[in-house]
Amino acid sequence: MTELFRGVGVALVTLFDEGGRADAAATGALAGDLAGRGMRAVLACGTTGEAQVLSDAERAEIIEAVRSAVPPGVPVLAGTGAATTQRAVELTTGAVGAGADAVLAWPPPGCADLQEYFAAIAAAADQHAVLAYHIPWVSAPGVPVADLENLPVAGVKDSSGDPDRLLDEIVNYSGATYVGSSALLALAGPTGAAGAILALANLEPERCSAAFAGDGSAQLGLAEAHLAVRHGGPPALKRLLAAARGLSAVSRPS
């Protein structure tokens, strides 16, 4: 299948105002700025975007704002993974209707039939690309590498942080592999991953791109922020963004 994009994309935060309301305009402005700084794709309403606390109307508004803010050549992905197939289909239909170019979906925890699940999403996506999302702490056990080849997906985002699994994907899976861990960029890029979709790219887009290109010093320079975000999730990332750029640090309780 044709790769959705090559290089580094951002798993976008969702910005909330001081009253806890989703700020689609500010979120879109951040996406536009990051695209201007070299991000090759933008993922809206993913796990970094705190999608679990967004209403369907808020998701649509954010996707629309992001799609309007970034150039046409930069694909906008939307997170549509869910605990049931029916809910994932609803989210996928809504995302495509709001202007997403592709969707990223984790399967229900313990999913017994990945083929059926992703086939339903692919049908709802209506010829838009689908990426499988391997994120085992959200959706255990995730998506086994051996199953990827038989799924109706264009590629996989792997946020496990497991270098052995990453190499398995690159060597044994013919679809596009996008690394989701900013700890593995200097491994992923030089060994043939198609790209990366990163939370840390909200804060360090240029350094993430340099690390993916094989710059070991850039990879090391990401370490402190990577570890903070790895342990603290979106709230920690938002605190770093607030300190660096004055953006809102507000998160909603999940």
Side-chain angles (χ1 to χ4, degrees), residues 12 34 42 51 60 78 81 112 116 122 130 141 165 169 181 185 194 199 230 250:
L12 193 68
L34 292 168
V42 179
E116 180 181 41
V130 177
R165 179 187 161 100
E169 289 161 336
S181 171
L185 296 174
R230 176 73 172 175
V250 174

Side-chain angles (χ1 to χ4, degrees), residues 42-233:
V42 179
L43 168 64
C45 304
T47 50
T48 299
E50 300 173 88
Q52 75 280 5
V53 299
L54 298 174
S55 68
D56 288 3
E58 288 171 329
R59 285 177 183 245
E61 187 177 9
I62 289 162
I63 294 166
E64 290 170 357
V66 171
R67 181 63 278 173
S68 295
V70 303
V74 175
V76 172
L77 294 69
T80 63
T84 67
T85 301
Q86 179 179 347
R87 181 58 176 151
V89 164
E90 292 170 353
L91 292 174
T92 298
T93 301
V96 170
D101 301 293
V103 300
L104 171 72
W106 44 262
C111 183
D113 192 337
L114 291 172
Q115 175 70 32
E116 180 181 41
Y117 176 75
F118 281 106
I121 291 176
D126 191 24
Q127 301 185 44
H128 293 71
V130 177
L131 296 181
Y133 190 9
H134 179 67
I135 181 167
W137 63 88
V138 170
S139 169
V143 184
V145 176
D147 290 348
L148 284 168
E149 206 69 60
N150 298 317
L151 299 179
V153 298
V156 60
K157 179 188 177 185
D158 177 4
S159 290
S160 68
D162 181 347
D164 291 326
R165 179 187 161 100
L166 176 63
L167 290 173
D168 192 2
E169 289 161 336
I170 292 170
V171 171
N172 294 312
Y173 173 49
S174 64
T177 294
Y178 296 100
V179 65
S181 171
S182 48
L184 300 177
L185 296 174
L187 171 65
T191 55
I197 304 172
L198 305 170
L200 200 55
N202 288 276
L203 181 69
E204 293 269 20
E206 294 88 358
R207 190 173 283 178
C208 287
S209 295
F212 186 77
D215 184 335
S217 63
Q219 179 69 80
L220 187 60
L222 293 170
E224 185 175 352
H226 164 81
L227 293 170
V229 175
R230 176 73 172 175
H231 293 299

